[in-house]
């Protein structure tokens, strides 16, 4: 006997038991195959405050590249790349781990 507090888990278990295969969802497929840099750019552009943008940028670039350079920052915001890098550094969101290489 199977039991779980979550209806979604139970529904999924019953579906697997009876061989139910859900139809592919185009939207979820596109999201799963999205480019991480373009996803970060979208999230950056739609973020509310400047502080949130800087934190998101530092964490996102570190997650994508490990360490990043000003060129990767300019892929996200080509106009303000130097200012962004300087602001993230001033707020201790990033550290320079090598010449011109940063990590959040």
């Amino acid at each position: 006997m199977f039991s779980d507090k979550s209806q979604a888990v139970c529904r999924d278990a019953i579906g697997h038991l009876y061989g139910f295969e859900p139809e592919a969802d185009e939207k979820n497929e596109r999201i799963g195959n999205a480019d991480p840099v373009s996803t970060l750019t979208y999230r950056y552009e739609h973020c509310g405050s400047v502080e949130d943008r800087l934190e998101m940028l530092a964490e996102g670039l570190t997650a994508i590249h490990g360490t990043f350079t000003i060129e990767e920052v300019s892929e996200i915001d080509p106009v303000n790349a130097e200012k962004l890098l300087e602001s993230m550094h001033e707020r201790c969101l990033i550290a320079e781990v090598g010449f011109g290489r940063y990590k959040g």
Side-chain angles (χ1 to χ4, degrees):
M1 176 172 203
F2 178 81
S3 68
D4 196 281
K5 292 181 181 182
S6 171
Q7 255 189 346
V9 172
C10 291
R11 200 175 305 118
D12 190 45
I14 291 170
H16 285 302
L17 178 68
Y18 290 105
F20 174 72
E21 293 289 326
E23 293 180 22
D25 187 2
E26 256 185 63
K27 183 178 179 183
N28 288 338
E29 188 175 317
R30 281 194 324 252
I31 291 171
N33 296 332
D35 172 41
V37 175
S38 62
T39 302
L40 179 61
T41 303
Y42 177 84
R43 290 177 56 213
Y44 169 80
E45 290 172 350
H46 291 84
C47 194
S49 71
V50 174
E51 295 294 325
D52 290 341
R53 280 183 172 205
L54 293 173
E55 191 172 326
M56 181 187 306
L57 193 59
E59 290 174 1
L61 286 172
T62 301
I64 294 169
H65 299 291
T67 61
F68 58 91
T69 64
I70 193 163
E71 285 80 22
E72 278 94 13
V73 177
S74 66
E75 286 180 30
I76 307 295
D77 190 342
V79 175
N80 300 311
E82 289 184 32
K83 291 179 188 176
L84 289 169
L85 202 59
E86 185 177 318
S87 295
M88 287 188 291
H89 199 256
E90 285 175 358
R91 289 171 173 79
C92 298
L93 295 173
I94 60 172
E96 190 169 11
V97 294
F99 183 72
R101 306 237 18 116
Y102 302 91
K103 187 173 188 169

